[in-house]
Amino acid sequence: LAQLQELGESLVEIHGQNEHMRLVRTDELFHLIDGSGTHDAQLKALETAFNAWRDVEQEMRELQAEAPLEAGELDLLRFQIEELENAALTAEAYEQLEAEHRLLARGSDLMLSLENALELMQAEEGSVSSQIQQLLGALTPAASLDRDIGNAAKALEEAGINFEEARGSLQTAVSRMEMSPERLSELDRTIGQLHDLGRKHRTEPGRLLEVMQRLQQRCERADNLEIRKQKLIKARAQQLQLYRQAAKDLHQARAGRAQALSQSVTELMQVLGMEGGQFQLQLEYDDSMKPNRRGDNRIDPLVSANPGMPVGPLRKVASGGELSRISLAVKVASAAGQPAPTQVFDEVDAGIGGDTANAVGRLLQNVAGQGQALCVTHLAQVAVCADHQFQVKKSADKQSTRVETRRLESAERIDEIARMLGGRLSDQSRAHASELLNSALTTH
């Protein structure tokens, strides 16, 4: 539904009785000026310059959010880093250190256990190795006669190999084991120091290296804070200068478009029964504004609907009927601004008649020539200017209300125009209706 709504806004534009309210909206006014396509390059340049300025400004805000460290805080930070540099280990190195400490802490008991195990394994009589060999000697002759006996012999053979490997590993462990009280004492001090640092920095001893890296990064940022700040100040000034120039170039392009549009609307106002009236899109340039996507412009619609009167704000000066006609004039004058293919006008001719109504009809013909225009009207002078005419009738009974819409053929259209002119059908009213239709077709 959201996609259909967006598509519909591109295909159909509806101008209701409050259409003039759009003319006081800032977005709509900038669309009128920028939608012509005459200064797309300047609009793109402004967008690029604004985005670049915004990125530098955001980086500056983030930098300012980093509170600078006082001299004492920076000294403390450096002391903590030096302290960690002398002690911090990776998680793997710390695990190895703990493993060595556990080994040395149980050194004497462990050495005794290993020596007893080796003595049993190396005994000349009744050792496990000799028993395995005796069993193999008894089973090997029968191994080929029975599968289970063969499996048993094979398992005993593997056990013998594993037994010898285990004995070799124990001998190696005994030979490299150093029962050094000095090393144990050194490990006690090192691990204790690491635990103290872990408590100090509220982390595990094996993660002290990560803490040190974070502190180093913070110290580096603090050292470079002023340097980074000065670079950003310079970059921001450069980007602001580029933005101001892009905004100035866009203003100059907009000024020409605003003047041309104001002149066109003023000329159409003379045709729409507002002789002597003026329309002016007042475009102001202010390079003290905070950078934004629209540039350094403010825009206001000013109007004078009567001769000799100074222009004033649109919403305060013009009446409802005048606002509707001014809105139509703006629509016609800005038609080059990529309008929707279908324009729907709801009683845009309210409160007018005579030659002004004829002028409205001709302007609607102009709009329809660039796409399709539909107009709800009660004025015959407007209806005769249409290529096609539809009659809308409402009927009601006790149960329901119905609305019927049908396209009128030639004769039916003459009758409808005659009714719109005077309410009664007669030869005279039909002749008048026929004359109006022929005149409109000739003009068209």
Side-chain angles (χ1 to χ4, degrees), residues 246-267:
K248 186 175 182 180
D249 294 341
L250 178 59
H251 166 72
Q252 292 172 350
R254 280 172 168 169
R257 172 62 178 165
Q259 182 178 1
L261 190 59
S262 298
Q263 183 176 349
S264 296
V265 174
T266 297
E267 292 173 357

Side-chain angles (χ1 to χ4, degrees), residues 289-301:
M289 295 174 61
K290 182 179 180 180
N292 62 88
R293 294 187 178 279
R294 291 200 186 104
D296 293 337
N297 282 133
R298 293 187 181 90
I299 185 169
D300 290 299

Side-chain angles (χ1 to χ4, degrees), residues 71-280:
E73 293 176 319
L74 192 57
D75 290 340
L76 175 61
L77 188 61
R78 287 171 177 158
F79 170 78
Q80 290 175 333
I81 292 172
E82 182 179 359
E83 190 177 42
L84 288 169
E85 284 176 339
N86 296 328
L89 298 173
T90 64
E92 293 78 9
Y94 178 75
E95 289 177 1
Q96 293 175 2
L97 202 67
E98 280 196 315
E100 184 183 359
H101 181 269
R102 287 193 299 269
L103 186 65
L104 290 176
R106 298 180 54 195
S108 57
D109 293 340
L110 183 60
M111 180 63 79
L112 180 61
S113 298
L114 292 177
E115 289 175 346
N116 289 337
L118 282 173
E119 185 177 349
L120 289 173
M121 297 175 84
Q122 295 172 351
E124 294 182 1
E125 296 183 3
S127 68
V128 175
S129 178
S130 63
Q131 291 177 5
I132 291 175
Q133 295 302 321
Q134 290 175 8
L135 288 170
L136 278 173
L139 295 177
T140 299
S144 60
L145 302 178
D146 183 84
R147 184 179 63 185
D148 291 332
I149 296 175
N151 290 338
K154 184 177 180 181
L156 286 170
E157 184 179 1
E158 293 175 351
I161 295 172
N162 292 335
F163 180 84
E164 293 300 325
E165 289 180 353
R167 184 168 63 179
S169 296
L170 288 178
Q171 289 174 337
T172 301
V174 170
S175 65
R176 65 179 172 78
M177 188 171 294
E178 297 179 3
M179 295 296 103
S180 171
E182 293 79 8
R183 176 59 178 166
L184 180 59
S185 178
E186 179 185 350
L187 290 176
D188 279 336
R189 288 194 303 271
T190 301
I191 292 177
Q193 181 185 13
L194 291 173
H195 276 277
D196 289 342
L197 285 172
R199 286 191 294 271
K200 180 178 180 180
H201 294 283
R202 299 181 181 180
T203 188
E204 298 294 328
R207 306 191 68 175
L208 285 171
L209 192 62
E210 298 175 16
V211 174
M212 183 189 73
Q213 292 170 346
R214 288 198 300 270
L215 294 179
Q216 286 174 333
Q217 291 173 358
R218 186 181 177 192
C219 186
E220 183 179 352
R221 286 199 306 270
D223 289 337
N224 296 333
L225 186 63
E226 188 60 31
I227 297 175
R228 291 167 58 205
K229 182 178 179 181
Q230 293 303 320
K231 287 182 178 179
L232 284 177
I233 290 175
K234 183 177 179 181
R236 182 172 62 178
Q238 291 174 342
Q239 293 301 333
L240 180 60
Q241 184 178 4
L242 292 174
Y243 167 83
R244 294 298 183 199
Q245 185 59 52
K248 186 175 182 180
D249 294 341
L250 178 59
H251 166 72
Q252 292 172 350
R254 280 172 168 169
R257 172 62 178 165
Q259 182 178 1
L261 190 59
S262 298
Q263 183 176 349
S264 296
V265 174
T266 297
E267 292 173 357
L268 289 171
M269 287 173 63
Q270 315 309 306
V271 179
L272 291 173
M274 289 177 281
E275 293 82 358
Q278 297 180 57
F279 180 83
Q280 179 182 339

